[in-house]
Amino acid sequence: MARTPAHQHEVVVNTIGATTTRTGLSVHAEFDPGTYPTGLTVPATVMDSLPLTEHEWHGKWNYTLRPEPPIALAAPRGDDRSQPDNRAPDWLHHPVICGVETPEFAARLADVEQYILDHPPISLHHKRGRHRTLRRGPLSLADRLLVTVIRHRWKTQVRALTALLGSPREAVGDAVHEITPVLKGHGHPIKPAPITAATAQDLANLIGRDNTKTISN
């Protein structure tokens, strides 16, 4: 007779509940039928605020959580000096090109920053500094967001964006790969424009700019 999921759960629960030790440990186990989302991570700021006392032996795994309010942490600085300087020329932030006005782009950048801080990459390190979480590669977070928006909105060639930013060859592709799922996860998918702008000059033509002589600000 095939075993049902309910029977399999019963076996697991009973096995755990039967655990004992020579010193008299007894275990109570019961099945929890609730459903819980997967893939969630605990932000580093939350972990840092927990009143934990690590034990001497493998403190990362063995610790006491004291029944106290979370530790108050200083708010992160708005000016993150650990980030690389922005490389993108100012005209790439034109609303026609990036699809939003400057205040909305700034708000979206803040959303992306917070999302990355709340969903840090899996690391063998127990704690990751804020700058280590936000800084990935030679491009600032603002540039990584901008090239991702332009790439999806106008289908601009990666090599064209690389030339415009004067960045290392792989930086733009890595940025698009990183930021695309962040935008989707935060409810900001980029809708493609009705036309394409594959080259730097194509982008410049959208706002009536001559880009044949220079790609600087």
Side-chain angles (χ1 to χ4, degrees):
M1 182 177 67
R3 294 186 175 183
T4 64
H7 178 76
Q8 294 173 348
H9 291 153
E10 181 181 358
V11 171
V12 172
V13 171
N14 290 341
T15 301
I16 296 174
T19 302
T20 60
T21 67
R22 287 176 296 179
T23 57
L25 172 71
S26 61
V27 176
H28 171 76
E30 61 183 70
F31 176 62
D32 180 1
T35 57
Y36 302 92
T38 60
L40 300 181
T41 58
V42 179
T45 52
V46 174
M47 291 297 300
D48 291 343
S49 69
L50 294 177
L52 295 177
T53 300
E54 297 182 351
H55 298 179
E56 292 185 4
W57 192 79
H58 289 289
K60 301 304 180 184
W61 299 340
N62 302 283
Y63 49 82
T64 298
L65 177 60
R66 303 187 302 277
E68 303 171 3
I71 301 170
L73 299 177
R77 294 183 306 142
D79 180 17
D80 190 347
R81 299 182 185 276
S82 66
Q83 285 287 299
D85 293 334
N86 294 333
R87 294 170 174 260
D90 292 340
W91 62 269
L92 282 182
H93 287 272
H94 193 286
V96 171
I97 294 177
C98 66
V100 294
E101 298 288 344
T102 300
E104 186 174 347
F105 183 88
R108 185 169 297 182
L109 177 61
D111 287 344
V112 168
E113 176 178 324
Q114 191 59 53
Y115 187 93
I116 293 176
L117 289 173
D118 289 345
H119 301 78
I122 297 175
S123 172
L124 296 178
H125 298 281
H126 178 62
K127 299 177 181 178
R128 292 180 63 92
R130 179 176 185 272
H131 70 282
R132 292 180 58 200
T133 300
L134 292 177
R135 178 169 186 164
R136 301 188 199 170
L139 298 181
S140 68
L141 185 58
D143 281 347
R144 278 142 53 203
L145 173 60
L146 182 63
V147 297
T148 301
V149 170
I150 295 175
R151 173 67 177 158
H152 286 296
R153 181 172 169 80
W154 299 105
K155 299 295 186 290
T156 306
Q157 298 170 350
V158 171
R159 63 182 180 182
L161 293 170
T162 299
L164 283 168
L165 271 64
S167 61
R169 185 175 59 179
E170 304 297 333
V172 170
D174 290 345
V176 174
H177 179 75
E178 173 204 2
I179 300 298
T180 297
V182 174
L183 292 174
K184 291 181 179 179
H186 210 281
H188 292 308
I190 306 301
K191 296 181 179 180
I195 61 174
T196 61
T199 68
Q201 186 57 55
D202 290 339
L203 288 174
N205 289 341
L206 294 172
I207 57 174
R209 176 187 175 90
D210 182 5
N211 197 60
T212 57
K213 296 182 180 179
T214 179
I215 58 175
S216 61
N217 289 344

